[in-house]
Amino acid sequence: MRTVSARFNSTTTPNPSNENSRPAQTHFGFRTVDENAKEDLVKGVFSSVAPKYDLMNDAMSMGIHRLWKDDFVSLLNPGRRGPIKILDMAGGTGDIALRMLDHAREKYADRDTSVLVSDINPDMLKEGMRRVRQTMYHNTPQIGFQVANAQELDPDIFPDNSFDLYTIAFGIRNCTSIPDVIKEAHRVLKPGGTFACLEFGKVDNPLLSQLYEVYSFSVIPMLGSILASDRESYQYLVESIRRFPSQPVFAQMIRDAGFTTGQDFSGQGGAWRDLWGGIASVHLGVKA
Ligand SMILES: C[S@@+](CC[C@H](N)C(=O)[O-])C[C@H]1O[C@@H](n2cnc3c(N)ncnc32)[C@H](O)[C@@H]1O
């Protein structure tokens, strides 16, 4: 798999001492690592958590991730304008994909909207396939799985202008180059298509921020240790949240890739919608 060349972006810094002999540096949680090592480190984390990923999501968020995901899906409202083609990138165990299909089916009797669930980690996708086998979507054209790196999608599998909606939930912060991911999303979306990202954000309220800090750094790694015997992976997940850009900075990155932001939240104002005081946020961008 191609490694991203030394490049300046939000998560990557060049090595000032000798740029030619050492790879650029980036963040892996709070650690600084060679840029070309990050992908494997992230893969290691998700291979390790894959079998317990869904259980741990419920435990760590006390079920709140379900509310956020439901809000995300309701906002996108698949099926409202007829069947659409969705790419759920970093889709992991298929949680967003299944919610999208259920929403379209239950609300609009839409049985033709389809989702391609894509992820860099085959272990996460295997869990997704296992889940889908227990649903009505198994062996239907409504759902498919594809291993891929969000930063460089194979044009034979992900052609230009081919999807109506690109979703990425809690995935983009794990990628080495966020701008490359958004650029690829822009390429594969049809004109008028929507980029939709659900990700952790920055909390403004000082009291909520303090509580959240304590919960994140004390409780989550401890739950990882007790429930999944894997403190380190959950420590990384918490650190990666802290490293992710603030909502205004991320919104600007979406605009820099050529998307228009803001109009979908016209009722709310602003280019993104905060959930739970900014613990999570939804960003949308529309391709002209
Ligand atoms: C926290 S999980 C989110 C899974 C799912 N979207 C959800 O909301 O439950 C993050 C996912 O991002 C995937 N990922 C990390 N880097 C990636 C990359 N460069 N390309 C595609 N997927 C990536 C991981 O393998 C993992 O499955």
Side-chain angles (χ1 to χ4, degrees), residues 42 46 53 69 90-92 119-121 124 148-150 169-171 174-175:
V42 170
F46 286 103
Y53 177 78
K69 286 174 175 168
D119 198 286
I120 202 168
N121 193 312
M124 290 291 280
N149 183 346
F170 304 117
N174 298 293
C175 298

Side-chain angles (χ1 to χ4, degrees), residues 39 42 46 53-54 57 69 88-93 95-96 118-121 124 148-151 168-171 173-176 237:
E39 231 167 69
V42 170
F46 286 103
Y53 177 78
D54 292 310
N57 258 356
K69 286 174 175 168
D88 183 37
M89 185 48 68
T93 61
D95 217 16
I96 294 292
S118 186
D119 198 286
I120 202 168
N121 193 312
M124 290 291 280
N149 183 346
Q151 291 170 202
I168 183 160
F170 304 117
R173 73 175 191 282
N174 298 293
C175 298
T176 309
L237 291 176

Side-chain angles (χ1 to χ4, degrees), residues 241-262:
I241 292 169
R242 288 300 170 280
R243 282 283 185 198
F244 191 67
S246 66
Q247 288 88 321
V249 172
F250 185 51
Q252 187 57 49
M253 289 171 142
I254 296 170
R255 284 190 288 274
D256 288 346
F259 287 105
T260 309
T261 63

Side-chain angles (χ1 to χ4, degrees), residues 27-45:
H27 305 296
F28 175 72
F30 289 166
R31 281 167 57 195
T32 301
V33 297
D34 286 352
E35 196 183 57
N36 54 17
K38 176 164 172 171
E39 231 167 69
D40 283 342
L41 289 167
V42 170
K43 271 193 206 156
V45 166

